[in-house]
Amino acid sequence: MTLKGKVALVTGSTSGIGAAIASALAAQGADVALNGFGEAAAIEAMRAGLEARHGVRAAYCAADMSRPAEIDAMVAQAIASLGRIDILVNNAGIQHVSPVDSFPSDKWEMVIAVNLSACFYATRAVLPGMRARNWGRIVNIASVHGLVASVDKSAYVAAKHGLVGLTKTVALETARTGITCNAVCPGWVLTPLVEKQIAARAERDGVARDEAQVRLLSEKMPSADPVGPEALGALVAYLCSPAADQVRGAAIPVDGAWTAQ
Ligand code: NAD
């Protein structure tokens, strides 16, 4: 229980990777503030489940991460509910797939807002408290697409490369403090975000879902084996541990050798 007494805010934690990260941090004893869209009853069940399973406090802080004012309000609400924020995991993210020639302007703006600008606003809002206590962990869930590109993902690739850049800058600005900032760069992870792309591939190729998954993954990921959300939760827990005190400004691939090529 290395994180007992710490408070973590995990954005986009009502689903997929964020939910697994929130669970992994709670398992280490951290109190957790959840954020993300979803049905009120399902979110409440998740919140209450974290408290019951791990004996921690859990809160839900609604905010549309594309709206800066709501991000500031979310941080204020998390601090009001749980007392402080020691760990910020910038995880909320969306995808839109289209050739750049016909990429819709509103989709571009939204992908940049949620995947990049939101991470800046949340980071700026939590840093004063972390500096005052001289301890903090900021973990940005980027992607292999923060390191390399793929066709038809211009906004996502631009946002995730930007997020890796933001990570390095924050790491430098906090280098002499007890605050660290790192990025995690997963390859394919089986979550609702990816299920949509598998479904699109199945329709395009006229094949079953499982065959579409193999085709989609093996194009880029030599292991052809998706990353488990729990593995990412374990990595974030490590980055929050004392062992990672000097892991700073890193962009860590978890990608089945995708970026080794
Ligand atoms: P997901 O769709 O399962 O979950 C996304 C979460 O973000 C949900 O909780 C959703 O409610 C929340 N969210 C979306 N828009 C929001 C908004 N405007 N305001 C507040 N919350 C919002 O996706 P996931 O696959 O778990 O992705 C999580 C992160 O991991 C994203 O940043 C994504 O880019 C990144 N990532 C995913 C994969 C993958 O293969 N799934 C790979 C690399 C990186």
Side-chain angles (χ1 to χ4, degrees):
M1 295 284 254
T2 55
L3 299 177
K4 205 155 182 54
K6 305 289 190 201
V7 176
L9 168 61
V10 185
T11 71
S13 46
T14 53
S15 170
I17 295 167
I21 292 170
S23 195
L25 296 178
Q28 292 298 319
D31 295 328
V32 177
L34 300 170
N35 156 265
F37 299 142
E39 273 180 30
I43 293 171
E44 173 52 22
M46 185 179 279
R47 190 202 65 73
L50 285 175
E51 290 195 336
R53 274 199 312 283
H54 303 294
V56 300
R57 293 178 301 157
Y60 170 67
C61 302
D64 180 337
M65 298 301 291
S66 69
R67 299 191 176 154
E70 293 190 23
I71 296 172
D72 285 341
M74 169 191 70
V75 167
Q77 191 199 333
I79 293 171
S81 302
L82 299 173
R84 52 205 267 171
I85 297 172
D86 301 296
I87 297 164
L88 168 67
V89 183
N90 283 311
N91 167 81
I94 53 171
Q95 175 65 280
H96 185 78
V97 180
S98 163
V100 72
D101 314 55
S102 53
F103 208 96
S105 305
D106 60 333
K107 298 289 186 195
W108 172 274
E109 298 291 345
M110 191 54 98
V111 170
I112 298 292
V114 176
N115 294 20
L116 176 57
S117 300
C119 306
F120 156 72
Y121 288 114
T123 298
R124 190 178 65 178
V126 302
L127 268 177
M130 291 180 177
R131 285 194 189 277
R133 293 182 294 275
N134 196 34
W135 197 92
R137 293 288 189 266
I138 298 169
V139 183
N140 294 321
I141 306 305
S143 165
V144 285
H145 287 116
L147 304 171
V148 295
S150 294
V151 293
D152 297 344
K153 296 185 176 176
S154 54
Y156 189 84
V157 169
K160 295 298 190 181
H161 274 67
L163 184 54
V164 169
L166 174 67
T167 302
K168 292 176 183 174
T169 307
V170 174
L172 288 174
E173 292 185 13
T174 55
R176 292 288 186 100
T177 74
I179 303 162
T180 71
C181 181
N182 293 287
V184 173
C185 300
W188 292 116
V189 188
L190 277 192
T191 67
L193 182 141
V194 167
E195 282 294 346
K196 283 185 211 151
Q197 295 174 65
I198 293 172
R201 182 61 179 261
E203 193 177 324
R204 192 195 84 182
D205 291 5
V207 296
R209 184 218 162 273
D210 288 357
E211 173 59 19
Q213 178 181 315
V214 171
R215 289 188 187 187
L216 187 70
L217 264 59
S218 57
E219 265 173 13
K220 296 273 182 173
M221 199 159 166
S223 67
D225 201 7
V227 180
E230 302 73 23
L232 298 174
L235 176 57
V236 173
Y238 159 73
L239 288 171
C240 294
S241 75
D245 275 354
Q246 292 308 324
V247 181
R248 292 170 184 262
I252 303 171
V254 186
D255 67 359
W258 183 323
T259 54
Q261 299 169 94

